[in-house]
Amino acid sequence: MSSITHMLKFAAVLSLTGQSLGYPSDHAKLEDYDAIDRTTLNGKLFVGYQGWFRKPGEDNGNSHWTTDTPSPEVGHVGVDMVPDVTGYPSECLFDTPFALPDGSTAQFYSNDCDGVVDLHFKMMADNGISGAFLQRFYGYINEANGGWVEVLNAAKTAAEKYGRGFVVEYDLNGAATGSTNVTATFLSDLEALSDIVSSPAYMKHDGKPVVEIWGFGIVNEVTADDGIAIVTALKDAGYYVILGVQQAWHAELVEDEAGRFGPVYRLADMIQPWTVGSYDRDGYQDFLKGRQAVEDAGALLDLGIDSSIVVWPGGSSSNANANERFDAFPRWNGTFYQMQLDGAVSLKPTFIFSAMFDEMNEATSILPVLRTDQLPTNQRFLGVDDDMGPDAYLKLAADGAASFAQAWQ
């Protein structure tokens, strides 16, 4: 589809849904935001939301803008993309040493600052995205009053304000069966987050609040026995449980080897295979027609388990990982993301998960970022193509979300 045809199609969709093409929109009023149906995941497109960026020295000291220095420096930066900070509160920004072509310096933002999370959820609402799965890393759970909880509270407030939904998604990174009671930790944390989970904006499905656990079959420090205990306890506590699992989960299910995760997968209410990095543009159609349409869909149908499909725009993490290839998974002017959105819509899973909204570390973000011709001149970064707007991937997501909602009607 040509860019002109795409924009005409997108504008037509938005004219039917009453949404605006503007970025950011200063004219939309709160009464213009119709609330999504928070009682079901059906037919919705959600984004993964890290929310982990900070100013140097904030919270635990890990700004996520850098890997091995307190502040971002030339040669020491942890992201491959640069945010377009148009519309961000000025007090939430800080200068970096990265020189822009116009002589100014690039600015980064902090999620733990009033207005940033609100702006991000407004972007979601303006582009027909249903909301966000908020990443909660196991290693940060004990920060009961830290910035991570502040971001969760800001997301709750913003989701309620803009009629979006949200879900807590636990990431098993940092968990280990041998050193901690993972099940008890999750249950205790959800109890501590009761004000957040009880929000009218918190998503439900089949009459139950939704929670996702990401990393089974990926994070090796958590055993299958622990997985069984975790899923069983959460379901007994009344939660609808989504499992984010390794992309070859079906083969593991068929092999059914002792100590592996087949029994865990069978307990899930929904399976969400993590496909980031599993294919490139040339290999996607085979993956779609074989793995997703036949193997995964058939297994889930036999098990009576719901499905979620992950889509992602491309990837690059060379600044954070010196051994990684720059632009390892090219975006191909949006066509890579578009074909995945089209493929996911054709399979009609329960919902589509776009990885990620703000993951600039691995360049899977769809939030507005600088174009190639806007990038700093003294550090290598990846930009969106010069013939695209900074918010081009939000618009692609909006188009996909509208098509997916129509497929569910």
Side-chain angles (χ1 to χ4, degrees), residues 270-345:
M270 179 184 290
I271 291 288
Q272 183 187 86
W274 185 249
T275 56
V276 174
S278 297
Y279 45 79
D280 57 15
R281 184 182 64 167
D282 293 336
Y284 171 67
Q285 291 299 328
D286 287 341
F287 190 91
L288 169 69
K289 296 173 183 177
R291 174 69 59 78
Q292 292 182 319
V294 177
E295 294 180 12
D296 287 357
L300 292 170
L301 182 63
D302 290 344
L303 294 168
I305 294 175
D306 295 332
S307 67
S308 171
I309 289 179
V310 172
V311 297
W312 48 291
S316 178
S317 58
S318 61
N319 283 332
N321 302 286
N323 295 326
E324 293 290 334
R325 188 173 78 254
F326 178 72
D327 200 14
F329 293 93
R331 295 188 174 212
W332 299 109
N333 201 238
T335 58
F336 183 52
Y337 190 48
Q338 183 68 61
M339 66 172 59
Q340 292 175 78
L341 288 166
D342 292 343
V345 170

Side-chain angles (χ1 to χ4, degrees), residues 74-383:
V74 175
H76 299 275
V77 62
V79 295
D80 269 31
M81 304 192 97
V82 179
D84 178 342
V85 294
T86 302
Y88 283 67
S90 60
E91 66 273 16
C92 298
L93 303 175
F94 67 96
D95 291 332
T96 72
F98 307 121
L100 297 176
D102 64 2
S104 63
T105 59
Q107 291 185 308
F108 291 165
Y109 65 82
S110 171
N111 283 101
D112 193 11
C113 180
D114 287 345
V116 170
V117 176
D118 182 273
L119 177 62
H120 288 166
F121 270 79
K122 184 176 185 298
M123 291 176 186
M124 297 175 204
D126 286 343
N127 289 280
I129 296 168
S130 291
F133 277 55
L134 307 174
Q135 311 302 292
R136 186 150 172 78
F137 287 80
Y138 190 87
Y140 293 115
I141 284 177
N142 291 329
E143 293 185 1
N145 299 306
W148 293 90
V149 173
E150 292 302 316
V151 170
L152 285 175
N153 277 304
K156 166 183 173 290
T157 300
E160 293 172 356
K161 177 179 177 180
Y162 295 112
R164 302 301 93 187
F166 72 100
V167 171
V168 172
E169 177 179 346
Y170 289 103
D171 189 310
L172 287 173
N173 277 297
T177 296
S179 61
T180 182
N181 188 325
V182 182
T183 302
T185 300
F186 283 149
L187 291 175
S188 176
D189 189 58
L190 285 167
E191 183 176 354
L193 298 178
S194 59
D195 287 347
I196 289 174
V197 177
S198 63
S199 164
Y202 197 85
M203 290 303 301
K204 293 181 172 60
H205 195 73
D206 288 349
K208 304 172 184 178
V210 178
V211 67
E212 178 164 355
I213 310 294
W214 185 93
F216 286 115
I218 301 170
V219 178
N220 295 323
E221 291 77 12
V222 177
T223 66
D225 286 343
D226 217 359
I228 291 171
I230 292 166
V231 178
T232 300
L234 289 172
K235 292 179 72 172
D236 287 347
Y239 288 94
Y240 179 94
V241 180
I242 303 173
L243 297 186
V245 303
Q246 55 105 345
Q247 53 93 7
W249 72 277
H250 174 253
E252 192 172 13
L253 190 74
V254 171
E255 292 166 0
D256 201 24
E257 295 180 1
R260 300 304 296 161
F261 288 90
V264 184
Y265 303 151
R266 289 185 176 91
L267 289 173
D269 291 306
M270 179 184 290
I271 291 288
Q272 183 187 86
W274 185 249
T275 56
V276 174
S278 297
Y279 45 79
D280 57 15
R281 184 182 64 167
D282 293 336
Y284 171 67
Q285 291 299 328
D286 287 341
F287 190 91
L288 169 69
K289 296 173 183 177
R291 174 69 59 78
Q292 292 182 319
V294 177
E295 294 180 12
D296 287 357
L300 292 170
L301 182 63
D302 290 344
L303 294 168
I305 294 175
D306 295 332
S307 67
S308 171
I309 289 179
V310 172
V311 297
W312 48 291
S316 178
S317 58
S318 61
N319 283 332
N321 302 286
N323 295 326
E324 293 290 334
R325 188 173 78 254
F326 178 72
D327 200 14
F329 293 93
R331 295 188 174 212
W332 299 109
N333 201 238
T335 58
F336 183 52
Y337 190 48
Q338 183 68 61
M339 66 172 59
Q340 292 175 78
L341 288 166
D342 292 343
V345 170
S346 73
L347 295 181
K348 197 180 173 182
T350 303
F351 80 97
I352 297 173
F353 182 98
S354 182
M356 305 279 288
F357 182 83
D358 56 343
E359 174 66 273
M360 286 168 283
N361 310 80
E362 297 179 354
T364 58
S365 51
I366 64 168
L367 89 175
V369 295
L370 297 186
R371 297 190 309 267
T372 299
D373 62 3
Q374 299 174 310
L375 290 175
T377 58
N378 58 345
Q379 174 72 44
R380 185 177 65 182
F381 289 102
L382 180 69

